[in-house]
Amino acid sequence: MSVIVVRSAQQAESVREALRSVVPDHATVHLVRLPTVDSLDPLVEAVGPTRNYGVDFTTRCLPDIPSTVEFVVDRAASCVCIGISERTSTGKARIDPLTQSLLLEERLSGTLVVGNDVITLREMEYDT
Amino acid sequence: MLRVEFQIGLSGIPLQLLETGENIESIEVDNAFPVPDSDELLFLTVCSGSSVSEEQLSADLPDADIVYVSRTGVSHHTYHVSVVADRSSLTVLSLLTENRAVPHRIVGRNAHLEVVTSVRDWQHLKQVAGAVEEVHGSLKLVGTTQTDRPGFPLGTDKVRQSVSGKLSEQQLSVLETAYQMGFFQVPQEATAEEIAGELGISRSTLSERLRRVQHNFCTLLFGAYG
């Protein structure tokens, strides 16, 4: 099971990169957003996760950062993809508070990969 | 390998200088070497809005021993400062090296320390962040990127130091004015006429001086021409 954290309704390319190169075929994908992000419907319509990538998916709005971290831990997601919405002046993928919470969460470990459009946490293991 | 940028609150020498130092805008750590008895020799670049004297720095840093202060900038007040201070005066550097992270950049400005470091992987990032948070209370991750090489530790001022003394004051003045006015921006923010007007020289003189600067830069990079 994979989780894709959508940080902006304009992140269709991030979601495509995640579905194309990270999420295994036939996986179940949870597209997750915080209330600060508008509806995911237009993004889902543009990307077509089932139509174009053959995955089952759900969309969820989680109330805050701690809930998002708990969602990932509770479901023991095998990978978490976080869209890169902005880069720093030196080209680094900008880290927002949600990404920081996931990266520094003690219970999570695995492999961190920084791509063009997506930060991916792969081969996730959970110390619960 | 991951290159990571984070921010923490000011402490030690950067805090002392930015809080008490008059008009000091930023402090960058260029290098550091251990000195026996838990001291370290720190090489800093200090940018100020006005002139800075060794006496003033000594007063701002009563617990440190100022080794030398030398002005580096032309139209701005930038100084290379070397001090011997207790290792606790820059704990973040000790924390990075103790945890085997490569420090690339440590700059104090705008009420916080900006730090760029290389870590092996996600676990290493968590280890380093945990150690920094334990001492500094909190840490804000700013950005990250994947890299194949650890890169050079600190000393980002090497180019400026290499150029210092190899370009004339006049050439540096032309270059810095053109740079500060946005001449090298794309799109250009100032024309050659505007730069020449600012410097009180003709456009052809400006062009000649800039070409000499470019030639000298190329000599530094590639060796003598011909």
Side-chain angles (χ1 to χ4, degrees), chain B residues 39-54:
Chain B
D39 282 347
E40 63 188 352
L41 179 57
L42 293 172
F43 296 88
L44 311 170
T45 296
V46 176
C47 294
S48 172
S50 57
S51 294
V52 171
S53 68
E54 188 167 334

Side-chain angles (χ1 to χ4, degrees), chain B residues 37-164:
Chain B
D37 300 328
S38 75
D39 282 347
E40 63 188 352
L41 179 57
L42 293 172
F43 296 88
L44 311 170
T45 296
V46 176
C47 294
S48 172
S50 57
S51 294
V52 171
S53 68
E54 188 167 334
E55 291 71 30
Q56 185 190 328
L57 287 171
S58 293
D60 294 338
L61 301 172
D63 301 325
D65 177 16
I66 308 288
V67 179
Y68 71 76
V69 178
S70 65
R71 195 168 75 91
T72 60
V74 178
S75 60
H76 289 262
H77 301 289
T78 305
Y79 299 84
H80 285 147
V81 178
S82 174
V83 300
V84 174
D86 187 87
R87 240 163 259 176
S88 62
S89 60
L90 197 65
T91 49
V92 68
L93 180 59
S94 305
L95 288 166
L96 293 177
T97 53
E98 281 165 19
N99 285 278
R100 309 296 187 259
V102 181
H104 297 296
R105 193 167 156 81
I106 301 174
V107 183
R109 70 174 143 225
N110 300 331
H112 54 249
L113 273 182
E114 301 166 7
V115 181
V116 178
T117 185
S118 285
V119 294
R120 286 189 306 277
D121 52 24
W122 184 12
Q123 280 309 106
H124 194 197
L125 167 61
K126 286 166 65 174
Q127 175 194 324
V128 171
V132 172
E133 281 186 319
E134 201 170 310
V135 173
H136 287 270
S138 66
L139 162 153
K140 181 188 174 197
L141 291 177
V142 174
T144 185
T145 191
Q146 205 99 32
T147 178
D148 294 332
R149 300 174 197 161
F152 292 107
L154 294 177
T156 52
D157 206 32
K158 278 194 181 69
V159 170
R160 218 183 316 162
Q161 289 183 35
S162 299
V163 167
S164 179

